[in-house]
Structures are given as structure tokens and as C-alpha cells.
């Protein structure tokens, strides 16, 4: 019953935008609203179950934790009621008038980044409570919060500009949502139609659902069942239910143990990377249960942070039922669960990689940054995680991958280092002067393309006792391969180096004769232990003043025709030779991604061209 005491509000701008899309889009899957409202009812019931353990009193303590759905064909309504937490006035305003929830935020985010039509992406998101307005322009929410002295309230909206909140009376604890259906959606006032929808989406709801008085779901904790009793469809449905997801899972790991702990767990790797571009960092998605009772749906310390992409359930009867979220962090038991399941999951991935390389490849393509984050942050599991990493390499075809173990078994007999290069892509590496010397000697180089790889190699001084070394580092000793090296007079070459150093002044720290260059005239290198060119580039992006020139070593290739000609030009036409030397240095810096200022270079190139044509 509502009483006269109107309290009018406008929707937050983002909510209006969302509602506009929800209402006006050609989104065909209107039935989604049932799933969204049931999912909210479940959340509210789960919270209440927890409150009953921690609070002395709650309103209407004897109400069953159940969901009642009623349809009325004559009035053309559907009503979804739960005896969960309910909402206070502030909560109504905060939860049903602003965008508080991450799914809707993700949706708006993706929408602003996407050039697809909104109708293509809306199906990938649950837009939560507001989905009710897909089928209605008259939604009423009756609610009473679990606090014993809470107000009886009625929220009402046409889903257009705003809503009003009136006081009400005679409400029971929880929330009752009455949806006056639009004429074209009268199907949702039919019992049979709703029954069909509930059978699809709500089998795993851990509370009784009654539709027009009849029980429709059997409460199932499928993670407690033996694997052989669960069908693929049931797993997939459970994933969608527990992860509130719309995609199919990529992997599932259903695992039980009696010792050292009682564990029943069911973990899923989602189809889509939840942190793909345009999306922020996600919350952990594996819930903690104790004997089928939810303890925490986003426990922070249950698994290491890098496993936050996992969805599912971990259930352990050994946990005390009333464990609080705060004490969970320190619980030795939770730490044990963490260690055990993490190891188990890494082993699972390793087996998958071996049994179906193609599927693992697709997983790796989408989720590798989490594994790399694990290598950097999770020292306890680093060695095992390293085995899962894959890289392109100088001896593999583009698109084929090598593991670190592949690399180590292919190492040359006298090779004691693992060589790599970090760059945005293969082309950048192959067109730069560094890799040629290694190729010429048949030494494999790993190609690392991800921004995070910089941190990865930084955190990882060695693998299998072999030091990891960037090929852009100066001072790498490589064996001579050709006799041409003897062609050059060593004294003459070092005189040339000295002259170039003079010509360049402070722009480089050293100029040396290179043993490694084959086809390139020169290369810019950074001494071992200093920042890589990529790191420096990143530094320059944050700090334009950042300068690193003093650290650069220039290596020249005296066997190269250009350097031979330069050597004679430095006496015959010293001014022109100096220009050329400067240009050689700039080209080398450019190839290394170390050129800080390109303006001088352009005018110098014009000058060189002009002088050449004059001859
Ligand atoms: P989400 O469920 O992802 O948070 P929704 O748009 O579905 O987003 O719901 C917004 C918020 O409204 C919920 O987080 C919850 O606080 C509140 N809410 C919605 N339905 C209920 C309900 N039946 N009982 C209590 N609170 C609810
Ligand atoms: Mg919701």
C-alpha cells in the first residue's frame, strides 16, 4: 500500500543513457530481464543468509529464503519477490538511480569504444535491474530493508526521466518487483513461458524458486557431484549462472580431494578475457563456499591476484561457517587452499597444453598477460608458470612458438645465455641491426612483443641457470664467423672509431668496432644492466625531459662499404664525412628506438643529398 508523500528523483545521466539504449535497441533477447532480476534476488538472499550469521536480529526472521514469481495474465503483470536484504531509501537512490554496478559500466565503456552497432554488443552484457524496462514502462519496487525499524517503501518509474519513492505499509522484509508489461510483451505474463526461461537460466539458483506457487528448480551444488554425473550442458549453464556470463567457458577444472583438505572445486576459464582492451581490472571471481553455503563471492586472498580471471566455486567443509571476510586473509586454511588449488590449476594448464596445443594456443593468445603477471609476482609458482610461456623466435616461422625449454634444448654447445629482444613486433626486430649476427651464427633469439615482457625479463635474471640477455645489449662476445673480419686493419679501424667519437661528441658514450654486425653499417647498443630501449621509450612518454644518450654505445662495422668510404672521406672531405658520421649514428639510434629528437636529422639528410648531387 502506498501513501501520499512523494519524493521525486531524476536518473543519473548515465542511467538515462543506458535506459535509452535498453528501451530503444532492437535487442531481441528480451527474456534476459528474468535472469537479471532473479540474479539480484539471489544476491539479496545470499547477503541475508550471511547477515543472519553475523547480526543479532533481522526483520521477519522466520521468512524462508526463497524467491516467489507470480504471473497474472488478466492484469498483464509479472512479479518477482524475494525475502532478501531489501533496500533502505538511500539504497534505493544509490542502487536504482545511479550506475553502481560494474556490468553496466563495462557496457557503456565498451559502447563508447566500439564502432559496432550497439545492438551487436548489448547481447554480451547483463544490464542488470534496468533490463526490466525492455518489457515495461511501469515498474514498481516494494521493499523493506532487513533492519527491524526500517521504512516500508515503494519505488516507481516509467524508465524515462526519473522515479519517485513513496512510503508504503505492510511490506515484508525483502524486495518485490511488479512489472506492468507492455502489450507486445504479454507473453511474459504466461506461466509456461516463464517456466521455460527459468529452466534455462535458474537451475543452479541455490534458493527455492516458486512460480505461481510451484517449485521450479532443484537446488544443485554441481561442484559436489562426481564428474560423471554432470553433463557438458550443465557445466556450461552453471558457468553462466555463477559468472553472470554470456559466453561459453574455455576450460573447466572440476576437482575434489579429501586430503590434506576436504575440497570440492569447479573452476572455469571464461571464453573472453575480462580485461581485454576497454575494460578495467576485474575482481576475483571464484566464490568460497563451506559445505554448499556461500561465504564470500569475491574473496581477495583465496587465490593469487594473477588468477583473478578464473570463475567458479571452491568449497571446503573444513572452513568455519562464520569465518569473516577480515579473518579470511589470515586463515592458515585459506592459505593452504590457495596454494593447493593454484598448483593444481597450473598443472591442469600444463596438461592441456600438451594434450591440445591448438586450444591452449588460443587460451594463451588471450590470457598470456595473466600468466606473465604470475611469473613476475608469484615467486612460489614461478618455475611452473615459466614452462607455460611461449615466444616467437628467430628460428621459428612467424606464428609458431617456442617454450623456454625448447630454447634450452636447442642451445649451441658453447652457449651459456638465453638471448631475447623486446620490440612491438617481429618486423621491428628483423629490420633492426641486432639479430643478424645471431642469425649468421645460428644462435636462436626469442622475440618478445608484449609491454609486460619488459618487466618479465627484468624480474627473471635466468632460466635453467642460463642468464637472459637482450641482444641490444653492448659487450656481447660472439665468435668470429668470417675471415673478412681479418680484412680490416685493427689500428685503422680503431682510428676510425676515435674519429667518429670525436665527431659525435657527447651524443654517444663509446664507439667500438663490432664483431657482430654482418649487413648493417652500425648499431646503437645499451650496456648490460641499463634500461632497454623500450623501457627508455616508456620513460620518455611519461617524462619528456628523460634523456639517456650518454649510455649509448655505437658499434660500427668496418667491413661495410659505407664505413670504408667514410674512412677515406674523413681526410679528403672532413666536413662532409662528419655529416655522414652523424647521420650513421642517428640511423642506428632510430633503429634502436633511441632517437630522441628527429628534427636535426631531417635537415641533415637534405644537406647530405644536396652535397652529393653537387659532386
Ligand atoms: P548488480 O546486480 O550487478 O549490482 P543491478 O542493476 O542488477 O546491478 O542492481 C543494482 C543494485 O540494486 C544491486 O547491486 C543491489 O544493490 C540493488 N538491488 C537490485 N535488486 C535487488 C533486490 N532484489 N534486493 C536488494 N537489492 C537489490
Ligand atoms: Mg544484478
Amino acid at each position: 500500500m502506498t501513501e501520499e508523500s512523494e519524493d521525486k528523483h531524476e536518473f543519473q545521466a548515465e542511467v538515462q543513457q543506458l535506459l535509452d539504449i535498453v528501451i530503444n535497441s532492437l535487442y531481441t533477447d528480451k527474456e534476459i530481464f528474468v535472469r537479471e532480476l532473479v540474479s539480484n534476488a539471489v544476491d539479496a538472499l545470499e547477503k541475508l543468509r550471511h547477515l543472519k550469521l553475523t547480526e543479532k536480529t533481522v526483520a521477519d526472521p522466520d521468512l524462508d529464503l526463497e524467491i516467489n514469481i507470480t504471473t497474472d495474465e488478466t492484469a498483464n503483470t509479472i512479479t518477482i519477490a524475494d525475502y532478501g536484504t531489501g533496500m533502505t531509501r538511500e539504497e534505493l537512490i544509490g542502487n536504482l538511480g545511479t550506475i553502481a554496478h560494474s556490468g553496466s559500466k563495462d557496457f557503456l565503456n565498451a559502447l563508447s569504444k566500439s564502432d559496432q552497432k550497439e545492438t551487436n554488443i548489448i547481447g554480451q552484457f547483463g544490464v542488470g535491474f534496468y533490463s526490466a524496462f525492455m518489457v515495461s514502462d511501469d515498474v514498481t519496487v516494494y521493499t523493506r530493508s532487513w533492519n527491524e525499524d526500517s521504512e516500508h517503501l515503494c519505488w516507481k518509474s516509467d524508465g524515462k526521466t526519473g522515479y519517485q519513492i513513496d512510503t508504503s505499509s505492510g511490506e515484508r522484509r525483502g524486495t518485490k518487483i511488479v512489472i506492468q508489461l507492455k502489450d507486445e510483451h504479454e507473453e511474459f505474463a504466461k506461466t509456461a513461458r516463464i517456466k521455460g526461461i527459468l529452466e534455462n537460466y535458474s537451475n543452479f539458483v541455490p534458493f527455492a524458486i516458486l512460480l505461481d506457487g510451484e517449485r521450479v528448480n532443484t537446488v544443485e551444488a554441481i561442484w559436489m557431484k562426481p564428474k560423471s554425473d554432470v553433463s557438458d550442458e550443465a557445466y556450461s549453464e552453471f558457468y553462466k549462472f555463477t559468472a553472470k556470463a554470456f559466453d561459453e567457458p574455455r576450460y573447466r577444472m572440476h576437482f575434489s580431494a579429501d586430503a590434506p583438505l576436504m575440497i570440492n572445486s569447479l573452476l572455469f576459464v571464461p571464453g573472453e578475457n575480462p580485461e581485454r582492451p576497454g575494460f578495467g581490472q576485474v575482481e576475483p571471481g571464484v566464490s568460497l563456499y563451506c559445505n554448499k553455503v556461500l561465504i564470500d563471492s569475491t574473496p581477495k586472498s583465496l587465490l593469487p591476484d594473477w588468477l583473478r580471471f578464473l570463475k567458479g566455486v571452491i568449497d571446503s567443509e573444513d572452513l568455519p561457517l562464520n569465518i569473516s571476510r577480515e579473518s579470511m586473509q589470515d586463515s592458515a586454511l585459506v592459505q593452504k587452499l590457495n596454494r593447493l588449488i593454484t598448483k593444481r590449476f597450473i598443472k591442469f594448464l600444463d596438461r592441456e597444453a600438451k594434450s591440445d596445443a591448438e586450444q591452449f594456443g588460443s587460451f594463451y593468445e588471450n590470457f598470456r598477460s595473466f600468466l606473465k603477471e604470475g611469473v613476475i609476482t608469484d615467486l612460489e609458482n614461478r618455475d611452473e608458470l615459466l614452462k607455460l610461456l611461449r615466444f616467437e623466435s628467430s628460428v621459428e616461422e612467424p606464428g609458431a612458438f617456442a617454450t623456454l625449454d625448447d630454447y634450452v634444448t636447442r642451445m649451441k654447445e658453447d652457449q651459456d645465455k638465453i638471448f631475447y629482444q623486446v620490440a612491438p613486433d617481429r618486423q621491428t626486430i628483423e629490420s633492426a641491426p641486432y639479430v643478424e649476427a645471431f642469425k649468421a651464427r645460428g644462435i636462436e633469439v626469442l622475440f618478445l612483443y608484449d609491454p609486460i615482457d619488459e618487466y618479465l625479463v627484468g624480474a627473471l635474471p635466468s632460466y635453467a641457470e642460463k642468464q637472459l640477455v637482450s641482444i641490444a645489449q653492448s659487450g656481447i662476445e660472439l665468435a668470429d664467423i668470417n675471415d673478412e673480419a681479418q680484412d680490416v686493419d685493427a689500428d685503422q679501424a680503431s682510428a676510425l672509431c676515435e674519429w667518429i667519437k670525436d665527431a659525435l661528441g657527447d651524443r654517444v658514450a663509446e664507439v667500438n668496432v663490432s664483431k657482430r654486425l654482418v649487413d648493417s653499417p652500425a648499431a646503437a647498443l645499451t650496456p648490460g644492466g641499463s634500461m632497454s630501449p623500450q623501457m627508455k621509450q616508456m620513460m620518455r612518454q611519461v617524462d619528456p625531459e628523460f634523456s639517456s644518450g650518454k649510455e649509448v654505445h655505437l658499434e660500427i662495422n668496418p667491413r661495410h662499404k659505407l664505413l670504408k668510404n667514410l674512412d677515406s672521406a674523413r681526410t679528403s672531405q672532413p666536413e662532409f664525412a662528419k655529416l655522414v658520421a652523424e647521420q650513421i649514428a642517428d640511423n642506428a639510434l632510430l633503429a634502436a628506438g633511441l632517437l630522441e629528437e628527429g628534427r636535426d636529422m631531417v635537415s641533415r639528410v637534405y644537406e647530405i643529398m644536396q652535397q652529393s648531387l653537387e659532386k
Side-chain angles (χ1 to χ4, degrees), residues 522-533:
L525 300 144
T526 43
S530 76
M531 273 183 213
S532 74

Side-chain angles (χ1 to χ4, degrees), residues 1-5 140-143 151-156 165-172 176 178:
M1 285 299 108
T2 67
E3 286 154 14
E4 295 299 307
S5 79
T140 314
V141 178
Y142 300 92
T143 188
E151 282 183 288
H152 298 228
L153 295 166
C154 167
W155 177 105
K156 204 169 171 43
I165 300 174
D166 301 323
T167 50
S168 175
S169 63
E171 306 305 336
R172 287 189 284 179
K176 182 174 75 186
V178 182

Side-chain angles (χ1 to χ4, degrees), residues 231-522:
S231 68
D232 285 348
E233 292 74 39
Y235 277 125
S236 159
E237 260 181 55
F238 178 70
Y239 162 72
K240 288 179 192 174
F241 166 73
T242 183
K244 300 190 172 145
F246 291 80
D247 55 358
E248 292 293 329
R250 254 170 212 283
Y251 283 130
R252 65 162 186 261
M253 183 180 98
H254 190 171
F255 150 72
S256 306
D258 296 329
L261 286 174
M262 285 279 273
I263 301 177
N264 288 283
S265 80
L266 178 52
L267 302 180
F268 297 94
V269 175
E272 302 249 23
N273 177 346
E275 293 183 7
R276 60 197 183 276
F279 294 76
Q281 182 154 333
V282 292
E283 294 270 289
V286 176
S287 319
L288 183 63
Y289 281 72
C290 170
N291 202 7
K292 303 187 203 174
V293 175
L294 181 72
I295 293 179
D296 191 345
S297 59
T298 55
K300 298 255 181 313
S301 48
L302 179 57
L303 290 173
D305 203 31
W306 65 270
L307 278 175
R308 61 188 178 276
F309 63 94
L310 284 182
K311 304 286 183 191
V313 169
I314 295 174
D315 190 319
S316 177
E317 282 177 41
D318 296 332
L319 287 165
L321 193 57
N322 60 353
I323 185 170
S324 75
R325 288 168 200 214
E326 291 71 42
S327 63
M328 242 187 61
Q329 298 233 357
D330 317 317
S331 156
L333 229 102
V334 172
Q335 284 168 17
K336 248 193 219 169
L337 274 176
N338 180 330
R339 210 168 304 135
L340 220 135
I341 291 180
T342 304
K343 293 212 182 305
R344 198 65 198 218
F345 181 70
I346 296 173
K347 208 185 277 173
F348 165 84
L349 284 181
D350 191 50
R351 265 205 314 272
E352 289 294 325
K354 286 178 181 128
S355 68
D356 187 343
E358 196 175 321
Q359 208 205 343
F360 181 80
S362 157
F363 160 77
Y364 189 79
E365 172 82 25
N366 287 284
F367 290 83
R368 62 180 185 276
S369 54
F370 293 103
L371 302 182
K372 290 177 179 179
E373 191 183 316
V375 169
I376 297 167
T377 57
D378 187 351
L379 297 187
E380 192 175 332
N381 294 299
R382 174 179 280 179
D383 290 347
E384 294 311 308
L385 277 170
L386 278 170
K387 294 191 191 309
L388 297 174
L389 299 188
R390 270 115 180 92
F391 304 102
E392 282 203 354
S393 105
S394 57
V395 308
E396 300 274 6
E397 292 298 313
F401 295 91
T403 63
L404 287 167
D405 285 334
D406 291 339
Y407 185 99
V408 171
T409 46
R410 292 196 287 237
M411 277 170 74
K412 300 234 136 193
E413 233 168 81
D414 54 350
Q415 188 183 338
D416 60 352
K417 295 185 175 69
I418 297 174
F419 294 106
Y420 68 85
Q421 173 71 316
V422 186
D425 52 44
R426 188 177 190 109
Q427 217 193 340
T428 308
I429 296 177
E430 295 197 320
S431 61
Y434 307 109
V435 79
E436 59 192 32
F438 294 84
K439 279 191 168 168
R441 291 165 176 81
I443 299 173
E444 181 167 10
V445 177
L446 297 175
F447 295 170
L448 282 51
Y449 309 135
D450 290 334
I452 195 176
D453 287 336
E454 197 63 62
Y455 300 95
L456 182 83
V457 291
L460 197 72
S462 65
Y463 178 78
E465 290 168 24
K466 315 277 189 250
Q467 197 193 346
L468 270 81
V469 174
S470 161
I471 58 169
Q473 188 173 311
S474 63
I476 298 174
E477 295 284 341
L478 294 174
D480 285 338
I481 38 164
N482 50 12
D483 302 331
E484 273 177 57
Q486 268 67 59
D487 282 2
V488 259
D489 178 325
D491 289 341
Q492 199 178 343
S494 66
L496 178 61
C497 287
E498 233 167 88
W499 179 83
I500 295 176
K501 171 72 181 98
D502 263 3
L504 297 177
D506 272 351
R507 296 195 50 212
V508 295
E510 286 179 23
V511 179
N512 301 305
V513 174
S514 176
K515 281 191 172 180
R516 56 160 111 185
L517 293 174
V518 181
D519 298 320
S520 304

Side-chain angles (χ1 to χ4, degrees), residues 72-133:
D72 184 336
E73 284 190 62
T74 325
N76 200 23
T77 58
I78 172 170
T79 302
I80 298 174
D82 65 68
Y83 300 136
T85 54
M87 283 175 272
T88 62
R89 190 178 289 264
E90 290 73 45
E91 284 168 339
L92 276 174
I93 295 169
N95 298 335
L96 305 186
T98 58
I99 293 206
H101 107 296
S102 55
S104 315
K105 265 191 202 139
D106 284 349
F107 172 67
L108 287 175
N109 253 337
L111 199 62
S112 67
K113 298 229 160 67
S114 153
D115 36 358
Q116 300 172 27
K117 268 246 156 74
E118 65 204 32
T119 46
N120 291 338
I121 58 170
I122 190 172
Q124 302 170 24
F125 294 86
V127 287
F129 170 78
Y130 303 107
S131 61
F133 292 102

